[in-house]
Amino acid sequence: SARAEAEDYQNQLGAVSEDAAGKDEQITALSSEKSELQAQLDEINQQYAEALERASNPLPPALSTELADFASKNSEILDFDQSRGIVKFKSDVSFAPGSVDLTPKAKDAIAKLSKILNDTGVKGYELMIAGHTDAMPVERAATIKAGHRDNWYLTAHRAIAVGKCLQKCEVSPSRMAMVGYGDQRPQASNATEDGRAKNRRVEL
């Protein structure tokens, strides 16, 4: 009876040992699966972080830095909104009042900008050129006679003037679109001259 009981215990120990070995295999498999899932999670987190960075910084850091440096050297005529990736030409310096003819300073700045836009790593970017004015209506007879009948015409024609100048500097026209917003998207109050000056701009 004692021998039979001992053999029974031995069989139970064997079963426990086999069960333990099976559990070890399960633990090993689960550990491997956990490592794979952690790797996938790390990759997703990295992609998420990169997406957030692109949302707040639409341009690559190197290009954004280059444009910021370009703007600081040409601050009289333009500035650069790093958070939105937009170069803003100040209309009061880039054009004569009521005109779409670019000033020499503006042409010089556009020529320098075109070199950045034609860099190998930047050539794939499309460009939207948008003209904006303040809320003052077009009243100059010469401006109206030239075909800039209201602020929408004037802003569209100024955007085209910037685009044409870029084209002369070998920026491909297939990359460009031009649009005029008139006074519909002010950046500042039109109640002050300083605010109106900020609203008169061409953005790229």
Side-chain angles (χ1 to χ4, degrees), residues 53-60 63-64 67 79-88 125-126 128 130 132 181 185-188 198 201-204:
E53 175 139 6
R54 284 196 300 272
S56 59
N57 260 319
L59 299 178
L63 176 56
S64 187
L67 288 172
D79 56 32
F80 176 58
D81 184 342
Q82 201 157 357
S83 65
R84 298 167 62 207
I86 293 177
V87 175
K88 300 178 188 177
Y125 283 84
E126 293 187 353
M128 169 71 80
H132 302 265
Y181 285 108
R185 297 195 178 184
Q187 284 195 329
K198 290 178 180 176
R201 66 202 188 276
V202 173
E203 298 177 337
L204 185 146

Side-chain angles (χ1 to χ4, degrees), residues 97-172:
S99 169
V100 300
D101 295 327
L102 287 160
T103 63
K105 286 183 179 180
K107 290 179 181 179
D108 182 60
I110 290 172
K112 293 174 183 174
L113 177 61
S114 68
K115 293 179 181 178
I116 298 174
L117 299 178
N118 282 330
D119 282 348
T120 302
V122 187
K123 277 191 172 182
Y125 283 84
E126 293 187 353
L127 311 170
M128 169 71 80
I129 305 164
H132 302 265
T133 66
D134 58 28
M136 303 297 288
V138 172
E139 293 179 340
R140 292 171 182 267
T143 301
I144 296 171
K145 186 177 180 180
H148 322 307
R149 293 182 285 178
D150 57 28
N151 282 329
W152 281 30
Y153 279 90
L154 182 61
T155 54
H157 295 165
R158 283 182 170 178
I160 291 169
V162 172
K164 289 289 187 181
C165 190
L166 284 168
Q167 184 179 0
K168 287 181 180 178
C169 295
E170 300 183 357
V171 176
S172 172

